[in-house]
Amino acid sequence: MNGQQNQDITSHNEQAFKVLVRAITLSKGTFSLILVRCNYAELGQQVYQQLNTTCPNTVELIALPSSAKTLYTVIKQELEDRAPKALMILGLESVTTIDDLLAATNQVRDSFRKHFAFPLVLWCNDDILRRFRKLAPDFYSWTSVPIQFGLDTETLVQRIHTLTDAVFAKAMEIGAGRFPHSSAIYLSPSFCPKQELQAALTDLKTQGQDLTDPILAASLQFIWGLDAHANNQMNQAKAQYTKSLQLLAKHKLPNSHPSYQLRIERLSCVLFYSGVWWRRYAVLHRADYIQACSQARECYRRCIELLQKQHRPDLAAKFIVALGEVLCRLKQWQELSTVSETAVKLQKTYFDPIRLAYSYGFLAEVALINQDWNLAKQYAETALDVNHQKPLETAQAQHRHQELSWAQNHYQSLYLLLLAEAQWHLDLPQAAIENLEQAKDYCKPGYDPLLYIRILETLRQYYFQQGEYLKAFRTKQQQRSIGQQYRLQAFVGAGRLRPERQIVTPALTSKQTSGANENKDFSEISVAQEISASGREEDLINLMTRIRGKQHKLTILHGQSGVGKSSMINAGLVPALLQSPIEARNVVPIVLRNYSDWRQEFKNCLNSSLKTQNIQTVSPKSKQAFEPQNLLKQLESNEHKRLQTVIIFDQFEEFFFNCSKPKERQEFFKFLKQCLDLAYVKVILALREDYLHYLLACDDFEIDAINNDILGRQNRYALGNLSVVNTKLLLQRLTRRSQFNMENELIERLTEDLAQEFGEVRPIELQVVGMQLQEED
């Protein structure tokens, strides 16, 4: 029966090939859209080669890069005004923003007919075809029924094995990666070809075949888990990793079995990535941090023991630094010392500078705990020296050099920290502080906030002990702010709240950036939980509604001192604006707080906001660039770039202190009036309510956009204190997320005490008292 099925598929493919040749021939000299339906990219290359054999010099090929944004532009750039007899496009399934590409293709469909006088053959899998019909219906209507190609049973089984082997080979090659604490591995469509594998399994089932190999079944479960893990589907990933482990554990084989070694390698690989899952879980669930790290340790430990038992030191060398990292987090120093010494021996044999340097870093950590300052200094200096050595990589591994550079720069900060701690105890305070300041510059909080906070805390202590109290105070403020942003502490004290950030995967980020963006913090920004969990979310929604609507050009955000106006702006409104386009326009928030020279500050804040959104700006060359008329021209330019500008003057009462002369104030209010006259500009003034009457100076200007009534009810939005109920809810959520446990009785008593005078809780008092409780544990 299989032979008959294979013969039928071969015959079908031959017929489909003839149809494709005929379609290309009949469309010679005119544009036509020909869709080929096939789930196997490799088959596309084979058909292309067959076309070149059958019709020499007829069909050209373009393989789309994953970064492609528009199909039309890619073709135009590749052809450079040439007109081939026919053009085949492969790689649609690998495009990262495929939905945007298809939608853009539909919008410029007439340009294809106008400029491309040749048949266009698009190679699409089932998923791309489904998206094509939905997102580019007009363009899709230009084609007839897609021409379909398939694989026979034997080839399908072989393809499944080949793809599965390739995924495991890549996963084993990466090992612990250049970032052993990473949240997930980097997965591209070619790395984890889930769609092609699922299509092959479906086709096999259609042909009446089932896979009976238990190792292959376990391997596929692992691959589904990898895909879910990379897409932050954590529960699904865990379930499939567990299923894979169960299948591999159940299928025991004698040592002499041909598949014995394969089973061992795959079992160790799945154990390792299960450990990666638990390590990621620890980051996302701070309250379960220790328990999750302990689970990760067990997975890593079983993985290494299995590989060493099976005499695979080459693989153990790739994975062992992850075990060391989690032991360091758990402060299990004795075991870390043993593991690190083994790791150093392995890394010297299977040389990798990042892993070897990291292993020396572990030894420096242990030496510091043992107060062996000279040995710690020696290990830290060795780690720094090894860190920038070049790896022994093959030509096929050259693509990892960029990742290598990012890892070297990031971990430079760790080794400088360890060196500084040793130097401080060896009575070398100046050298220690200089190295810590360098470490702070190298470290990126979005990759490892715990390391960044450790650097700041050590630097703060050294500043303080050297009598540099102002530097120590500012460093402590920054330390608290980072802790709040990454949910590592419940309270920030008297400081201003910042938007929350998610820890990012360096291996993934480094592949998406270039040197131009090397200093950018790539953490994902979100509204702080202090906003969303305290009843402030309703205020945030109301403010966003005012900004999105057309009737409120101006919003005056007012309230008592310490009520949280600046925190609402920074930790709530700004991140919400960045995530919410208005009328298909991206939002450019400009936040001013310094009014000593408001013109220059405005220009700097505008350029900074545009730069964060990768919008090119021109640096000012003269003082004229800061004049109000030139600032207005820049705002008008934003409008032409389809941007919505939201200007926020925070702590605006400071303006009246810095600009006390009537002429200075008149110039500002004239500028404010002109801003409000622009179509895609909204303005927010945030100030203490006891300074509201200062705004009456605007009455001298006829501001039609606000009906010449700046203090009218329609322009004002009052921000109040926290209710007792919302305060209790906020305390529960903040302390749960940051491993700072407060008993319910303490939360009740604290809330009652803070609300005793007014029946409400002032946010600033809650933060200050909470910070003190947290510091005293």
Side-chain angles (χ1 to χ4, degrees):
M1 183 174 178
N2 287 348
Q4 183 61 44
Q5 287 178 339
N6 291 341
Q7 187 177 356
D8 290 344
I9 292 172
T10 302
S11 176
H12 173 83
N13 285 347
E14 290 175 353
Q15 185 61 34
F17 183 78
K18 292 178 181 178
V19 172
L20 177 59
V21 171
R22 185 164 58 250
I24 293 173
T25 303
L26 292 175
S27 302
K28 184 178 179 181
T30 60
F31 177 79
S32 69
L33 178 62
I34 303 170
L35 295 185
V36 176
R37 178 188 173 189
C38 183
N39 291 301
Y40 312 104
E42 192 175 79
L43 187 54
Q45 291 284 354
Q46 296 174 6
V47 170
Y48 171 69
Q49 293 172 4
Q50 189 177 355
L51 281 171
N52 270 340
T53 302
T54 306
C55 314
N57 303 319
T58 297
V59 182
E60 290 194 24
L61 176 68
I62 293 178
L64 290 178
S66 60
S67 59
K69 303 296 182 185
T70 61
L71 180 60
Y72 177 81
T73 303
V74 170
I75 295 174
K76 194 75 174 172
Q77 291 174 347
E78 286 286 332
L79 294 182
E80 297 180 342
D81 297 326
R82 291 184 297 105
K85 295 178 181 178
L87 179 66
M88 178 182 285
I89 303 292
L90 297 180
L92 280 168
E93 70 284 347
S94 68
V95 174
T96 305
T97 55
I98 183 61
D99 287 357
D100 293 339
L101 181 142
L102 292 174
T105 299
N106 199 59
Q107 291 175 356
V108 298
R109 60 191 178 280
D110 291 330
S111 298
F112 283 82
R113 279 184 170 170
K114 184 176 180 181
H115 297 107
F116 298 153
F118 51 81
L120 178 65
V121 182
L122 298 185
W123 197 270
C124 308
N125 61 23
D126 288 343
D127 180 62
I128 297 298
L129 274 177
R130 178 182 58 80
R131 295 171 186 265
F132 212 128
R133 295 187 188 101
K134 179 181 178 181
L135 299 169
D138 300 319
F139 194 52
Y140 183 84
S141 66
W142 290 357
T143 187
S144 56
V145 178
I147 303 169
Q148 185 169 349
F149 287 87
L151 294 178
D152 59 57
T153 302
E154 184 179 343
T155 308
L156 281 172
V157 174
Q158 183 181 357
R159 185 64 180 159
I160 291 171
H161 277 282
T162 300
L163 290 173
T164 304
D165 291 345
V167 171
F168 270 91
K170 186 69 173 178
M172 300 292 273
E173 176 195 337
I174 291 175
R178 307 297 192 183
F179 296 83
H181 68 282
S182 292
S183 56
I185 60 172
Y186 174 73
L187 294 176
S188 65
S190 59
F191 183 110
C192 190
K194 179 182 177 182
Q195 290 182 1
E196 186 167 342
L197 280 169
Q198 288 181 328
L201 291 171
T202 300
D203 287 347
L204 267 183
K205 193 171 183 179
T206 302
Q207 296 174 19
Q209 300 296 314
D210 289 314
L211 292 176
T212 58
D213 185 347
I215 295 180
L216 182 57
S219 301
L220 290 171
Q221 287 295 326
F222 169 69
I223 292 174
W224 308 153
L226 276 183
D227 183 75
H229 195 165
N231 288 292
N232 290 319
Q233 298 167 342
M234 297 294 287
N235 291 335
Q236 184 179 345
K238 181 186 178 185
Q240 286 167 323
Y241 287 159
T242 302
K243 181 66 174 176
S244 181
L245 287 173
Q246 290 172 345
L247 289 171
L248 288 168
K250 183 178 179 181
H251 185 62
K252 295 182 179 180
L253 297 171
N255 293 6
S256 58
H257 195 282
S259 298
Y260 175 78
Q261 192 66 34
L262 178 66
R263 173 186 171 274
I264 293 298
E265 289 181 8
R266 298 207 168 168
L267 179 58
S268 61
C269 186
V270 180
L271 281 169
F272 172 75
Y273 283 103
S274 296
V276 173
W277 186 94
W278 279 110
R279 190 65 185 84
R280 175 63 173 165
Y281 185 88
V283 171
L284 295 176
H285 300 81
R286 300 295 308 171
D288 300 322
Y289 188 84
I290 299 300
Q291 296 90 328
C293 283
S294 298
Q295 291 283 356
R297 176 200 60 200
E298 291 307 309
C299 290
Y300 292 151
R301 184 185 284 164
R302 288 175 59 196
C303 169
I304 300 303
E305 289 175 351
L306 193 61
L307 290 171
Q308 289 177 325
K309 183 179 178 181
Q310 298 302 320
H311 307 292
R312 291 303 307 269
D314 55 324
L315 294 178
K318 292 179 180 292
F319 293 134
I320 196 169
V321 289
L323 175 58
E325 191 271 341
V326 80
L327 289 171
C328 191
R329 298 293 192 194
L330 292 169
K331 299 181 180 180
Q332 297 181 353
W333 306 116
Q334 186 172 352
E335 184 177 355
L336 176 61
S337 177
T338 303
V339 168
S340 300
E341 289 173 358
T342 302
V344 167
K345 294 177 183 177
L346 289 170
Q347 304 307 337
K348 285 183 176 179
T349 303
Y350 305 96
F351 183 68
D352 184 293
I354 300 299
R355 295 180 181 127
L356 179 57
Y358 205 63
S359 301
Y360 278 119
F362 293 145
L363 292 173
E365 295 269 16
V366 174
L368 287 172
I369 292 298
N370 294 331
Q371 298 184 5
D372 191 338
W373 314 124
N374 282 306
L375 185 60
K377 179 174 179 289
Q378 177 185 332
Y379 280 136
E381 288 174 338
T382 303
L384 285 166
D385 179 60
V386 172
N387 186 46
H388 282 284
Q389 294 181 22
K390 293 183 178 180
L392 301 175
E393 294 188 308
T394 62
Q396 289 78 12
Q398 295 302 309
H399 66 279
R400 298 177 67 186
H401 283 175
Q402 185 180 3
E403 180 187 343
L404 178 69
S405 174
W406 281 79
Q408 288 173 326
N409 288 334
H410 180 68
Y411 284 120
Q412 184 88 348
S413 61
L414 172 61
Y415 311 138
L416 287 169
L417 166 65
L418 298 173
L419 177 60
E421 289 182 345
Q423 289 171 328
W424 182 265
H425 289 93
L426 291 170
D427 199 23
L428 298 168
Q430 193 57 42
I433 288 176
E434 288 176 0
N435 281 326
L436 281 172
E437 289 171 342
Q438 283 190 55
K440 178 184 170 185
D441 293 337
Y442 275 113
C443 190
K444 298 188 181 299
Y447 291 171
D448 193 343
L450 288 173
L451 174 59
Y452 194 77
I453 288 173
R454 178 180 169 186
I455 292 170
L456 292 177
E457 171 58 20
T458 308
L459 190 56
R460 183 197 67 78
Q461 292 177 14
Y462 294 176
Y463 280 148
F464 188 85
Q465 294 181 41
Q466 289 293 97
E468 298 189 61
Y469 301 122
L470 181 58
K471 286 185 177 180
F473 173 71
R474 289 174 176 170
T475 304
K476 187 173 184 177
Q477 282 186 315
Q478 186 180 6
Q479 178 186 342
R480 288 177 174 177
S481 179
I482 293 295
Q484 175 259 318
Q485 291 178 63
Y486 291 98
R487 304 186 181 189
L488 300 175
Q489 63 183 54
F491 304 99
V492 74
R496 186 184 295 119
L497 291 179
R498 300 287 182 181
E500 287 189 356
R501 297 175 181 270
Q502 297 293 325
I503 298 173
V504 296
T505 304
L508 174 59
T509 305
S510 64
K511 293 174 184 295
Q512 297 174 332
T513 59
S514 60
N517 293 326
E518 205 163 280
N519 295 319
K520 185 178 177 181
D521 185 352
F522 293 98
S523 309
E524 297 178 14
I525 299 175
S526 59
V527 174
Q529 197 169 120
E530 287 84 348
I531 303 296
S532 58
S534 63
R536 293 289 204 216
E537 195 165 35
E538 182 179 353
D539 291 313
L540 178 58
I541 292 171
N542 291 339
L543 289 170
M544 287 294 293
T545 301
R546 292 178 66 93
I547 293 171
R548 297 180 72 87
K550 295 184 178 180
Q551 61 186 31
H552 298 290
K553 289 286 291 181
L554 172 69
T555 296
I556 299 173
L557 180 65
H558 61 93
Q560 300 174 6
S561 175
V563 79
K565 299 180 295 295
S566 294
S567 293
M568 170 61 77
I569 289 169
N570 292 287
L573 190 57
V574 169
L577 288 171
L578 291 172
Q579 297 170 30
S580 305
I582 298 175
E583 296 182 3
R585 291 173 176 265
N586 288 334
V587 180
V588 177
I590 306 169
V591 184
L592 279 78
R593 296 187 188 90
N594 184 352
Y595 302 98
S596 57
D597 185 346
W598 66 266
R599 305 163 196 79
Q600 182 169 346
E601 183 71 8
F602 188 97
K603 180 69 174 179
N604 293 340
C605 291
L606 172 59
N607 287 344
S608 177
S609 185
L610 291 171
K611 189 175 181 180
T612 58
Q613 300 196 41
N614 295 321
I615 300 171
Q616 190 172 7
T617 60
V618 179
S619 301
K621 295 182 179 180
S622 67
K623 290 185 177 181
Q624 291 182 350
F626 304 124
E627 293 301 318
Q629 292 305 315
N630 288 320
L631 298 178
L632 288 166
K633 288 180 180 178
Q634 179 67 67
L635 295 178
E636 291 174 351
S637 174
N638 286 357
E639 179 180 335
H640 299 317
K641 295 175 182 175
R642 295 197 60 78
L643 299 172
Q644 169 77 55
T645 306
V646 178
I647 308 170
I648 303 173
F649 297 97
D650 190 19
Q651 297 179 338
F652 190 60
E653 63 270 9
E654 297 293 330
F655 168 80
F656 298 103
F657 291 110
N658 286 279
C659 301
S660 57
K661 297 178 181 179
K663 185 177 179 180
E664 293 177 321
R665 295 183 180 182
Q666 287 175 2
E667 183 181 21
F668 174 84
F669 286 122
K670 180 181 178 181
F671 174 72
L672 178 64
K673 166 184 165 60
Q674 292 170 319
C675 287
L676 291 170
D677 287 337
L678 296 176
Y680 291 96
V681 172
K682 296 289 183 76
V683 177
I684 297 175
L685 301 177
L687 74 167
R688 285 162 43 184
E689 59 187 25
D690 49 334
Y691 281 84
L692 281 173
H693 65 280
Y694 278 79
L695 296 177
L696 292 174
C698 271
D699 285 348
D700 296 337
F701 298 87
E702 294 185 3
I703 306 180
D704 296 334
I706 57 173
N707 297 320
N708 200 29
D709 184 15
I710 192 166
L711 290 182
R713 184 179 294 274
Q714 72 278 6
N715 296 323
R716 291 185 283 115
Y717 190 92
L719 197 64
N721 292 316
L722 302 177
S723 70
V724 171
V725 173
N726 284 333
T727 301
K728 292 177 182 178
L729 180 62
L730 176 62
L731 284 171
Q732 290 170 354
R733 291 186 179 179
L734 292 184
T735 54
R736 188 187 308 125
R737 79 174 187 188
S738 58
Q739 286 186 289
F740 176 58
N741 296 319
M742 290 179 69
E743 296 176 358
N744 288 332
E745 291 184 22
L746 177 57
I747 290 176
E748 292 280 345
R749 183 62 182 271
L750 175 61
T751 306
E752 289 174 7
D753 287 350
L754 291 173
Q756 190 170 15
E757 186 174 356
F758 301 107
E760 296 177 324
V761 177
R762 294 184 67 199
I764 186 66
E765 292 180 357
L766 176 64
Q767 286 290 339
V768 170
V769 174
M771 188 74 232
Q772 192 66 31
L773 287 171
Q774 183 173 273
E775 288 193 343
E776 296 180 7
D777 201 20

